[in-house]
Structure formats: structure tokens, C-alpha cells
């Protein structure tokens, strides 16, 4: 990265160049391509609804809690199993999920994606949310 100090939006723009993003339209058409869907918003934010099938792990706990997901419970090596799955992360606008994706990439996960536009874009397009968090 450059020597210039970046503000938050500049930093998010920089991070977005290093990760893979999935549009809401793409995810809505092929959700099966992303078997691990994680909402990285805080619990209070999730009370307004989550994407159907999403697992909730707040951004600050993601790295520590990811391999403890219920979907990993019967796996001999949960981290290795997760590394073979497409993991789609999302938040309100796509900024925190981009940061989370970058973090998981640094941990060695290769199939990590961020939902472009987050729940704001998802709702704008009229897609369904679930209140079952």
C-alpha cells in the first residue's frame, strides 16, 4: 500500500481491489454456489432481518468463531473443510464484509467473497430477508 494515510472509504476502496465481490443479483440467481453465507453485522443490526440461510458472526468475532459454526460440527478438520467451501460474507453496505473477506484471505482461505452493496442493496432490489436469526 502507499505511504498516504487513507480515510475509511478510501481504505474500503483499496480493499475491494484485493478481494472478490458478488453482486446481489448474482447471489440471488445462484445461492447454491455459496454454501456458507455469513452476516458479519452486530446482533442488534440483524434484528431487522438477515438473508435466508445466513449464519450470524459479528465482524469482531469472525476469525475466532468461523470454524466453530454448526455446519462444521461433524468435520474432522473444520478449518480445512471450510477452506474448500465458497464463503460469502455480507454486512449493511459491503464495507465490513470486504474487510472481513480480506482478513480471511490473509488467514489462507481462498474462496471468500463479499456481497457488493450488502443488505442495503439486497433490500433495494426487493429480495427477501428472514427474521429467523
Amino acid at each position: 500500500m502507499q505511504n498516504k494515510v487513507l480515510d475509511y472509504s478510501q481504505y474500503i476502496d483499496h480493499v475491494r481491489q484485493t478481494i472478490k465481490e458478488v453482486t446481489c443479483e448474482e447471489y440471488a440467481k445462484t445461492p447454491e454456489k455459496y454454501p456458507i453465507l455469513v452476516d458479519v453485522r452486530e446482533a442488534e443490526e440483524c434484528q431487522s432481518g438477515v438473508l435466508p440461510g445466513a449464519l450470524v458472526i459479528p465482524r469482531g468475532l469472525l476469525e475466532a468463531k468461523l470454524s466453530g459454526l454448526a455446519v462444521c460440527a461433524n468435520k474432522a478438520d473444520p478449518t480445512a473443510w471450510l477452506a474448500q467451501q465458497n464463503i460469502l460474507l455480507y454486512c449493511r453496505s459491503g464495507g465490513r464484509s470486504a474487510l472481513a473477506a480480506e482478513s480471511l484471505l490473509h488467514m489462507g482461505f481462498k474462496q471468500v467473497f463479499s456481497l457488493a452493496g450488502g443488505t442495503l442493496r439486497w433490500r433495494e432490489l426487493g429480495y427477501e430477508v428472514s427474521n429467523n436469526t
Side-chain angles (χ1 to χ4, degrees):
M1 196 151 69
Q2 61 225 21
N3 293 330
K4 177 185 169 194
V5 175
L6 305 175
D7 68 20
Y8 180 74
S9 64
Q10 291 169 324
Y11 182 60
I12 295 299
D13 288 343
H14 170 76
V15 168
R16 283 190 170 124
Q17 295 172 26
T18 69
I19 64 162
K20 299 173 203 161
E21 288 190 300
V22 173
T23 66
C24 291
E25 296 90 342
E26 180 183 348
Y27 175 68
K29 288 179 189 171
T30 58
E32 67 282 354
K33 286 179 62 176
Y34 308 93
I36 309 296
L37 177 64
V38 181
D39 188 323
V40 299
R41 296 177 298 161
E42 296 298 319
E44 309 82 57
E45 294 176 277
C46 295
Q47 291 176 0
S48 66
V50 299
L51 275 62
L55 305 164
V56 177
I57 307 176
R59 168 70 192 99
L61 301 173
L62 180 66
E63 296 82 355
K65 301 284 185 181
L66 188 61
S67 63
L69 292 171
V71 296
C72 302
N74 297 324
K75 310 300 182 216
D77 186 345
T79 304
W81 179 80
L82 275 171
Q84 296 174 15
Q85 309 302 310
N86 283 343
I87 302 170
L88 179 60
L89 308 168
Y90 74 90
C91 63
R92 180 178 169 274
S93 66
R96 283 175 287 173
S97 59
L99 294 172
E102 180 189 47
S103 180
L104 293 184
L105 287 171
H106 286 298
M107 289 176 68
F109 291 91
K110 303 291 185 224
Q111 298 169 198
V112 181
F113 306 85
S114 175
L115 187 67
T119 59
L120 289 176
R121 179 71 178 143
W122 185 262
R123 288 175 186 266
E124 183 180 289
L125 293 168
Y127 294 132
E128 172 187 356
V129 293
S130 169
N131 288 322
N132 300 332
T133 57

